[in-house]
């Protein structure tokens, strides 16, 4: 995704004032790395799933493949506690994979990204791959590239982060990347919410191996979900599933959903709930943790205009339904 930014010289003079850009002291790089990765997210599991699935999606776009991304969830009964349940979570894509050279140049380095020149890709900041460490102290990474499996271990090392190569295995592997963690979920509802918010990734398939009834039903509903696209919004039939996400609306940029901040009362401006409001890529800024939109005065004004368009489309839909002897409430109820 293209990042909107102004490029300037490190030093320039404005009248009698000398302006200097801020730099990074390499002696503090471990602290900054940790700050920008494992401490960045307020919703760790949701962020890990979103960021890792987004990276998988981008890899599929780069490879030009229509294969499914696999999200595998397994109960880890050995690590369950009285207050939380532990799950082994693995996300496997079948994209380009990561060559050893690309791994050293891009994957290991915070902020490095190959996705800032095109809006065909979701990623841009170059830090999402470290989101796994917001959920776990250790992550297993397998890169499958040209028939070879390269296994790495990513882990927190004091105030820094290490990615160590563990093994290299020759075989008949499909290209792609696999990221695995073990995560103790504080409550199962946070897990189901995080899963449902991935609904727009149409090539994502989830497999659950375990005994939790709610999680199993959520996965079944996810895999059979139906998405209806309209001019200014989309509707997905699982958004209100088991009240996991409540009855509210969400902003949609590409494949990613963003909460509508109640402070700005955007939800109350719409005639119905459970809508996924389209925001064109690049028109509104995103926070570095990609959990929220950057709601500047100009972006809020822009969104107000979008919502007016949504309401207009809802009215037109309601008119069509009225012609079929339905009321406005009936028309909105289907959403």
């Amino acid at each position: 995704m293209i990042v909107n930014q102004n490029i300037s010289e490190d030093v320039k003079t404005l009248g009698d004032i000398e302006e200097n850009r801020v730099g990074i002291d390499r002696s503090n790089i471990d602290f900054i790395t940790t700050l920008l990765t494992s401490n960045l997210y307020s919703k760790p599991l949701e962020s890990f799933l979103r960021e890792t699935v987004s990276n998988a999606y981008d890899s599929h776009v780069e490879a030009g493949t229509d294969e499914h991304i696999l999200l595998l969830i397994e109960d880890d009964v050995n690590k369950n506690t009285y207050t939380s349940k532990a799950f082994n979570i693995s996300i496997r894509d079948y994209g380009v994979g990561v060559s050893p050279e690309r791994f050293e140049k891009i994957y290991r380095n915070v902020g490095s990204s190959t996705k800032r020149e095109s809006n065909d890709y979701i990623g841009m900041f170059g830090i999402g791959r470290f989101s796994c460490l917001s959920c776990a102290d250790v992550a297993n990474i397998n890169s499958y590239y040209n028939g070879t499996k390269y296994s790495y271990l990513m882990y927190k090392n004091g105030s820094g982060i290490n990615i160590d190569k563990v093994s290299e295995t020759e075989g008949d592997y499909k290209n792609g990347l696999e990221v695995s963690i073990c995560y103790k979920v504080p409550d199962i509802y946070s897990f189901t919410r995080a899963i449902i918010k991935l609904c727009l990734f149409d090539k994502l398939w989830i497999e659950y191996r375990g005994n939790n009834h709610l999680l199993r039903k959520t996965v079944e509903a996810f895999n059979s979900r139906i998405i209806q696209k309209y001019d200014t919004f989309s509707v997905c039939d699982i958004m209100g599933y088991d009240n996991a996400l409540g009855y509210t609306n969400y902003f949609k940029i590409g494949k990613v959903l963003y909460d509508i901040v109640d402070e700005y009362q955007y939800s109350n401006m719409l005639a119905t709930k459970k809508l996924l409001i389209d925001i064109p890529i690049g028109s509104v800024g995103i926070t570095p943790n990609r959990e929220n939109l950057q709601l500047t005065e100009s972006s809020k004004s822009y969104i107000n205009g979008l919502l007016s368009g949504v309401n207009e489309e809802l009215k037109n839909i309601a008119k069509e339904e009225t012609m079929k002897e339905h009321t406005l409430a009936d028309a909105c109820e289907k959403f």
Side-chain angles (χ1 to χ4, degrees), residues 26-91:
R26 292 192 60 83
S27 65
N28 293 320
I29 196 67
D30 281 351
F31 168 76
I32 294 170
T33 298
T34 303
L35 183 66
L36 291 178
T37 55
S38 57
N39 293 334
L40 185 63
Y41 305 102
S42 63
K43 299 176 181 177
L45 179 61
E46 188 175 305
S47 295
F48 162 64
L49 293 178
R50 179 191 64 246
E51 295 300 314
T52 309
V53 170
S54 293
N55 286 340
Y57 171 84
D58 285 343
S59 183
H60 279 215
V61 171
E62 185 176 350
T65 179
D66 286 330
E67 288 204 52
H68 280 81
I69 300 163
L70 175 63
L71 168 55
L72 175 62
I73 304 167
E74 299 177 288
D75 291 352
D76 191 330
V77 295
N78 296 321
K79 295 183 180 180
N80 283 346
T81 66
Y82 180 76
T83 57
S84 62
K85 293 184 177 296
F87 296 92
N88 294 313
I89 305 172
S90 175
I91 298 171

Side-chain angles (χ1 to χ4, degrees), residues 131-283:
S131 62
C132 54
L133 296 183
S134 66
C135 294
D137 292 333
V138 178
N140 293 288
I141 302 166
N142 293 319
S143 176
Y144 304 91
Y145 186 76
N146 288 351
T148 301
K149 175 183 176 182
Y150 302 92
S151 296
Y152 302 88
L153 203 64
M154 181 191 294
Y155 59 94
K156 299 174 184 178
N157 181 14
S159 61
I161 295 172
N162 276 33
I163 306 179
D164 299 341
K165 184 177 178 180
V166 177
S167 63
E168 181 177 327
T169 308
E170 298 290 335
D172 186 21
Y173 301 105
K174 284 188 176 181
N175 277 13
L177 193 74
E178 182 179 37
V179 180
S180 304
I181 64 168
C182 179
Y183 182 62
K184 288 187 177 181
V185 180
D187 67 280
I188 200 66
Y189 295 102
S190 65
F191 205 169
T192 60
R193 283 193 296 270
I195 288 172
I196 291 173
K197 289 187 77 172
L198 299 172
C199 66
L200 293 178
F201 289 91
D202 50 314
K203 292 297 182 180
L204 175 64
W205 180 265
I206 304 179
E207 183 176 341
Y208 173 53
R209 301 171 185 171
N211 299 316
N212 187 277
H213 176 74
L214 177 58
L215 188 54
R216 183 171 63 252
K217 289 296 184 181
T218 301
V219 169
E220 290 173 357
F222 184 94
N223 288 334
S224 61
R225 68 198 182 279
I226 298 173
I227 299 173
Q228 179 67 48
K229 180 73 174 68
Y230 294 85
D231 290 339
T232 59
F233 61 89
S234 297
V235 177
C236 181
D237 61 341
I238 64 170
M239 290 309 294
Y241 179 77
D242 199 43
N243 292 327
L245 292 182
Y247 290 89
T248 185
N249 300 301
Y250 292 86
F251 291 132
K252 170 178 105 56
I253 299 182
K255 303 289 184 180
V256 179
L257 297 182
Y258 296 90
D259 294 336
I260 294 182
V261 183
D262 289 337
E263 175 186 353
Y264 299 105
Q265 299 180 341
Y266 287 135
S267 287
N268 296 329
M269 295 175 63
L270 295 169
T272 187
K273 305 296 183 183
K274 295 189 292 183
L275 303 182
L276 313 179
I277 313 301
D278 288 327
I279 296 181
I281 292 175
S283 59

Side-chain angles (χ1 to χ4, degrees), residues 259-316:
D259 294 336
I260 294 182
V261 183
D262 289 337
E263 175 186 353
Y264 299 105
Q265 299 180 341
Y266 287 135
S267 287
N268 296 329
M269 295 175 63
L270 295 169
T272 187
K273 305 296 183 183
K274 295 189 292 183
L275 303 182
L276 313 179
I277 313 301
D278 288 327
I279 296 181
I281 292 175
S283 59
V284 175
I286 304 169
T287 59
N289 62 9
R290 301 217 309 175
E291 291 182 342
N292 297 291
L293 304 181
Q294 291 181 339
L295 293 176
T296 63
E297 290 303 317
S298 60
S299 65
K300 285 189 281 186
S301 176
Y302 178 80
I303 290 172
N304 285 337
L306 288 180
L307 296 186
S308 295
V310 172
N311 275 329
E312 190 63 31
E313 185 171 6
L314 286 171
K315 290 178 183 178
N316 292 334

